[in-house]
Amino acid sequence: MNIRFTLNGQDVLIDVEPERRVLNILREDFGYFHARGTCYTGECGACTIFFNGEIAPSCLIPAFTLRESKVITFEWFSETEDCQDIIKGLADAGYESCKYCTPARILVIHALLENNPRPDEDEILRALSGMRCYCSDYTSLIEGVKNAGLIRNRRR
Amino acid sequence: MIEKSKSPHTYSPENLGDLLSLYKSMPDALVYGGGTYILKNQKREFLSLPENVIYLKRVEELNRISRTERFLEIGSSISINRVLSIGKHILPAALYNCLLGVGTPGIRNLATLGGNICVRDRRMDTFPLLHLLDARVELRKAGGSRWIQINRLFDSEGKASLQPGEILTRIRIPFDEWNVQVYHKLGSRAREGETTLSFCGLAKTQKGVINDIRIAYGCLGKQILRNREIEAELSGLKVPINIKDTASAMELLKENMDKIGIAISNFQKKRAVSFLRLFLLRLAEV
């Protein structure tokens, strides 16, 4: 099945089986390895991408739904100033990044800050509730998200 | 070596007319909205899908939200997060809390309200609450449409009343003045079974008297538990409800859970009674 969609700002045309997961397409066909597959049920959040402007677990997106959609992966997002704000905010709070989940967490934090530039603790925890990696302490993570919001607000 | 099965034929109609005629011609096709429930238990790279799949997201008519003074109307293909974005001041408070408990934030961007209602092998989070809220659903097929109460969507054994080629298109939620609204959920999407339970309680009180009260339990497989006997016993009582009436309602619930044909674990029974007690206590705060 030929599918045309926008991947990281570029129009692409691929020939894939419609029942294939987007997670696998990104990793195997395009070499975008920051989206990671673990649970394949959408629960762990490690495969999060932006799908039509919203965060979504790429393991739960079949290829046939990609047609004319817009997909953004961490690889593209990591080049933006928004991403650097989040990385700085987290680092300032002493958050120790985990190679496994941090890319997805950063996308989730970006989605949160876009809708709510000054989230409170509950809102941060609720937004991050879709991430099931227990690598970090939540105190520094919450502090880091708040820092990132402040840094971003100052820059904009 | 596991062989990959044949790829499905997928269709993405862009309007309701095309969707209905397509579904009429292949009533056995899988109607695919967000797909989060369909894919939940699949672990392989290639998803197992039936021969024909009709994708709903592009059907413009299923992606509309409208509001009047009396009700809110939501297209069945609207994502849970988009329903939440209507806002907590417009959505009934219990529904807002209920939707926040559906999956994870990422899953809520994919999962649809129609899908949450329509899953055939279990009643999902929103179903008991929408039932209490007197929600109605529009079912359409080529050449006809009908509105039914949401509780008539499935019979007492959990069998769907959808006819071949019929599809759920809109959900209509009436605005009503429920001054106490409670929704609690135990367990998560990942752990379904004997340790999950949801509780929905709605009440209208006026001058310290309960005018109307509704209570339902969900996450119990294909059925929901609503006991009108308890509701009738509680209606007309003064708030705060005295200890004797509270104990009587809890006793009645225990008896009914033993009588009905739904498999409920002891854990669920205990929590069901606790939720009822908390709800009745909450009435005193109004």
Side-chain angles (χ1 to χ4, degrees):
Chain A
M1 178 184 194
N2 286 321
I3 299 172
R4 188 182 291 280
F5 69 107
T6 307
L7 176 59
N8 292 337
Q10 294 200 320
D11 281 344
V12 292
L13 177 67
I14 53 170
D15 182 14
V16 288
E17 296 86 347
E19 73 275 30
R20 225 171 132 206
R21 295 174 198 268
V22 167
L23 169 66
N24 295 101
I25 295 171
L26 292 175
R27 290 177 66 85
E28 292 157 19
D29 297 10
F30 292 97
Y32 291 140
F33 292 110
H34 279 303
R36 292 166 203 268
T38 319
C39 70
Y40 288 95
T41 62
E43 295 286 340
C44 75
C47 64
T48 298
I49 56 166
F50 277 106
F51 182 55
N52 292 323
E54 293 169 329
I55 52 161
S58 57
C59 69
L60 287 187
I61 308 173
F64 70 86
T65 65
L66 271 181
R67 191 165 69 89
E68 290 172 33
S69 67
K70 287 183 181 153
V71 171
I72 287 176
T73 66
F74 181 75
E75 282 79 358
W76 182 88
F77 182 69
S78 63
E79 305 288 321
T80 64
E81 286 184 315
D82 285 340
C83 182
Q84 299 310 315
D85 293 342
I86 296 169
I87 291 170
K88 183 164 189 330
L90 292 173
D92 288 353
Y95 172 80
E96 286 183 30
S97 69
C98 156
K99 280 186 179 170
Y100 190 77
C101 70
T102 299
R105 264 195 217 280
I106 287 175
L107 295 182
V108 172
I109 293 168
H110 174 66
L112 169 68
L113 295 177
E114 283 297 287
N115 291 320
N116 183 357
R118 288 170 201 268
D120 62 27
E121 199 169 313
D122 280 351
E123 288 162 337
I124 294 168
L125 287 174
R126 196 175 296 144
L128 291 166
S129 65
M131 304 295 307
R132 293 285 158 84
C133 183
Y134 301 105
C135 57
S136 70
D137 74 295
Y138 271 75
T139 316
S140 62
L141 184 58
I142 290 165
E143 200 53 44
V145 175
K146 287 180 180 170
N147 284 348
L150 292 175
I151 294 167
R152 176 181 292 203
N153 293 342
R154 274 200 298 267
R155 180 178 58 77
R156 285 185 175 176
Chain B
M1 186 181 148
I2 301 165
E3 256 183 58
K4 188 179 96 57
S5 55
K6 204 178 149 195
S7 288
H9 298 287
T10 58
Y11 305 87
S12 294
E14 294 190 356
N15 60 62
L16 196 54
D18 289 352
L19 166 67
L20 296 177
S21 58
L22 197 61
Y23 198 29
K24 186 184 177 188
S25 66
M26 46 176 113
D28 293 330
L30 173 72
V31 174
Y32 192 101
T36 51
Y37 188 80
I38 297 165
L39 307 188
K40 196 177 81 121
N41 294 318
Q42 300 197 28
K43 298 269 183 187
R44 290 164 62 183
E45 177 181 353
F46 289 91
L47 300 162
S48 169
L49 296 168
E51 190 183 350
N52 294 306
V53 178
I54 304 175
Y55 184 47
L56 297 182
K57 274 285 174 186
R58 294 173 169 276
V59 181
E60 202 265 326
E61 291 92 331
L62 303 185
N63 283 294
R64 290 181 190 153
I65 297 173
S66 62
R67 182 161 65 120
T68 71
E69 279 183 10
R70 290 184 301 118
F71 57 77
L72 181 66
E73 219 167 74
I74 300 168
S76 60
S77 201
I78 302 270
S79 72
I80 300 288
N81 267 349
R82 216 180 127 209
V83 179
L84 279 167
S85 73
I86 295 169
K88 63 166 82 168
H89 302 298
I90 296 168
L91 289 171
L95 182 61
Y96 189 83
N97 289 335
C98 170
L99 294 172
L100 275 180
V102 174
T104 65
I107 289 173
R108 290 198 292 271
N109 281 326
L110 296 174
T112 64
L113 185 60
N116 201 272
I117 294 168
C118 269
V119 166
R120 289 185 186 230
D121 51 354
R122 61 183 292 116
R123 301 291 78 78
M124 305 282 274
D125 296 341
T126 58
F127 194 89
L129 185 59
L130 291 172
H131 168 67
L132 294 191
L133 288 166
D134 285 330
R136 292 168 70 82
V137 290
E138 184 192 43
L139 306 178
R140 294 189 73 155
K141 61 179 181 176
S145 74
R146 58 183 174 133
W147 282 94
I148 62 167
Q149 287 284 344
I150 196 165
N151 56 331
R152 290 187 52 222
L153 194 58
F154 298 95
D155 65 18
S156 58
E157 285 165 7
K159 198 174 162 221
S161 63
L162 288 163
Q163 294 164 3
E166 199 168 46
I167 195 166
L168 190 153
T169 48
R170 281 184 287 180
I171 300 106
R172 185 179 286 173
I173 304 164
F175 291 125
D176 215 340
E177 292 293 319
W178 298 101
N179 51 350
V180 182
Q181 300 188 35
V182 169
Y183 178 85
H184 295 297
K185 186 181 172 188
L186 281 178
S188 72
R189 182 175 175 271
R191 282 174 281 145
E192 285 168 350
E194 293 184 349
T195 57
T196 56
L197 183 74
S198 69
F199 172 86
C200 321
L202 303 174
K204 285 179 195 170
T205 60
Q206 202 174 28
K207 293 180 182 168
V209 176
I210 300 171
N211 281 349
D212 194 355
I213 188 163
R214 298 178 186 185
I215 297 156
Y217 295 90
C219 298
L220 297 168
K222 283 187 177 183
Q223 285 162 320
I224 63 166
L225 172 61
R226 181 177 180 189
N227 192 296
R228 291 177 196 263
E229 210 180 324
I230 297 173
E231 293 174 6
E233 187 164 288
L234 293 169
S235 287
L237 294 181
K238 280 189 177 175
V239 284
I241 299 172
N242 63 44
I243 296 168
K244 192 181 149 207
D245 288 326
T246 304
S248 162
M250 286 160 62
E251 204 50 46
L252 198 56
L253 176 66
K254 281 182 203 164
E255 283 171 25
N256 275 283
M257 284 191 293
D258 290 330
K259 276 189 223 162
I260 55 163
I262 307 174
I264 306 177
S265 66
N266 280 333
F267 175 83
Q268 287 168 319
K269 280 181 192 168
K270 281 183 188 167
R271 292 300 175 270
V273 173
S274 302
F275 281 147
L276 176 63
R277 191 172 62 83
L278 286 172
F279 177 55
L280 297 181
L281 283 173
R282 174 85 187 274
L283 291 175
E285 293 168 12
V286 181

